[in-house]
Each structure stands twice: as structure tokens, then as C-alpha cells.
Amino acid sequence: YAVNDVLKKLFAEAGLILVDYKLEFGMFHDELILGDEFSPDGCRIWDAQTEKVLDKDRFRKGTGDVVEGYEEVALRLGIKLTQTA
């Protein structure tokens, strides 16, 4: 629940709805750890005003470029994108 509270607030402040997501946990030396990355590939993210899909469902439903959606999410979250060759 703590993870959900943090992520929900973070995305809401960026004008996004975190519709759902998945996380995988495991045990390491008797300690519970997060064993997965958090990315648009493992969740659904919508624009809070328009409910425009900004995750991999863009590909599944043919509604737009996936990379463009991921970049928009990153920019709204304040993540600086770098160009790779």
C-alpha cells in the first residue's frame, strides 16, 4: 500500500492517472525486495484530463506511437531524456 500511495501521488502531480501496475517481489537473505523495474511496459497510464492512453496499450490498440507516449510520461515526471545514436 505504501508503494501505491507514493506512485499514485507522483503521477497525479504530473497530471497522469496510474490506472494499474504490476510489481514482482522476492526474498533475498531473508529480506523482502522489489525484484522488478517500474516502467510503462508494466502499467497503464492515462492523461488525467483527456484519459489519453500513454502506455503500451497504444501499440495493442493502434492508437499511437508507444515511444511518444513513454516520452510524454517521462517528461511530465521531470525525467530528462537524452538522444542516443
Side-chain angles (χ1 to χ4, degrees), residues 32-62:
L32 181 66
I33 62 168
L34 177 62
D36 199 1
E37 87 285 349
F38 183 84
S39 75
D41 280 339
C43 59
R44 291 189 297 153
I45 305 167
W46 299 346
D47 176 86
Q49 296 293 327
T50 66
E51 295 188 355
K52 177 175 82 171
V53 174
L54 298 171
D55 56 63
K56 67 182 175 184
D57 277 348
R58 292 168 69 100
F59 171 76
R60 289 182 184 150
K61 298 177 180 180

Side-chain angles (χ1 to χ4, degrees), residues 12-78:
E13 289 173 353
L16 300 167
I17 300 169
L18 182 59
V19 178
D20 63 19
Y21 61 94
K22 71 167 189 72
L23 297 175
E24 295 180 13
F25 294 89
M27 298 297 291
F28 183 73
H29 297 295
D30 296 324
E31 187 173 17
L32 181 66
I33 62 168
L34 177 62
D36 199 1
E37 87 285 349
F38 183 84
S39 75
D41 280 339
C43 59
R44 291 189 297 153
I45 305 167
W46 299 346
D47 176 86
Q49 296 293 327
T50 66
E51 295 188 355
K52 177 175 82 171
V53 174
L54 298 171
D55 56 63
K56 67 182 175 184
D57 277 348
R58 292 168 69 100
F59 171 76
R60 289 182 184 150
K61 298 177 180 180
T63 59
D65 182 79
V66 174
V67 173
E68 181 182 286
Y70 288 11
E71 288 175 343
E72 183 172 339
V73 170
L75 291 172
R76 288 193 192 192
L77 292 174

